Amino acid sequence: SDSGGMTAAQRMMAKMGWSAGQGLGSRGQGMTTPLVAKKTDGRSGVIVNAKMKDKDSMLGGGPLPPPPPKKPTVPLSGRPTRVLLLRNMVGPGEVDDDLEDEIAEECSKYGEVVRVMIFEVTDPTWPPQEAVRIFVEFTREQDSVKGMMDLDGRFFGGRVVHANFFDYDRFNRGELAPVPGEE
């Protein structure tokens, strides 16, 4: 039952002092037209001001902003190897008995994980975000690349993970400690 051609929402707002064409703010400074979803293609859309008809008249006016840059398809952290070094996943003293298994399980979505090794730098002057070094060995280099692309920059427990490829021969020799000049 429309009274005077107003929707239920408009009637409720009118009881609070609103009238058509007036903004919603306490001094009438708010938006005067509703926002609506508008399809841009088969699977996505944008939020637009209901009065505006064309796609260039979105909220801020003007053309749509360019899409954000994609992560590079070629890793920027050295030559790919089968071993991934993850840093800043956990801090010093936060390594527990389940961490290796959790990392192996998480990384198995990129490919077969051969082993996970965790090395903790005990030097108290070492930066805490670099102190726990987690090494993940994959059976195939391309799986390590997938892992690096997905994990580098990802948040884990409130920390930003840093992922790099690690020299396979050094890994096999158990040389897991950082060396001067290493990223």
Side-chain angles (χ1 to χ4, degrees):
S1 74
D2 257 9
S3 65
M6 292 171 57
T7 66
Q10 289 171 324
R11 284 193 308 275
M12 184 170 46
M13 292 187 327
K15 285 181 187 175
M16 294 183 244
W18 173 82
S19 61
Q22 177 185 1
L24 293 175
S26 61
R27 294 178 301 284
Q29 78 276 17
M31 294 174 35
T32 58
T33 57
L35 298 177
V36 295
K38 179 179 177 182
K39 276 189 162 278
T40 55
D41 64 30
R43 294 178 16 184
S44 60
V46 292
I47 303 295
V48 297
N49 194 311
K51 254 190 205 172
M52 301 179 181
K53 301 287 184 236
D54 64 298
K55 73 174 185 179
D56 288 343
S57 301
M58 303 301 161
L59 284 176
L64 288 174
K70 291 184 177 177
K71 275 196 165 188
T73 53
V74 176
L76 301 176
S77 61
R79 185 186 167 283
T81 69
R82 290 179 19 209
V83 180
L84 206 52
L85 166 58
L86 305 174
R87 292 168 294 134
N88 202 36
M89 278 193 105
V90 296
E94 295 176 12
V95 176
D96 62 26
D97 295 340
D98 299 326
L99 188 60
E100 269 184 40
D101 291 337
E102 289 169 2
I103 300 291
E105 185 179 329
E106 176 68 19
C107 289
S108 67
K109 68 183 182 186
Y110 310 117
E112 187 180 339
V113 173
V114 177
R115 61 183 160 159
V116 174
M117 294 179 71
I118 299 174
F119 180 87
E120 193 165 349
V121 178
T122 54
D123 179 347
T125 64
W126 196 255
Q129 68 274 15
E130 302 286 326
V132 179
R133 298 163 60 89
I134 300 171
F135 298 86
V136 183
E137 180 185 0
F138 291 90
T139 54
R140 300 178 326 156
E141 204 171 88
Q142 59 262 41
D143 299 335
S144 165
V145 171
K146 283 190 245 173
M148 201 285 292
M149 297 301 288
D150 191 47
L151 293 169
D152 189 47
R154 181 169 147 189
F155 281 91
F156 181 85
R159 297 168 169 271
V160 179
V161 176
H162 300 288
N164 311 52
F165 299 113
F166 191 79
D167 182 82
Y168 183 74
D169 293 329
R170 270 185 68 197
F171 176 76
N172 271 337
R173 289 192 303 265
E175 296 173 9
L176 307 181
V179 295
E182 179 181 292
E183 253 192 78

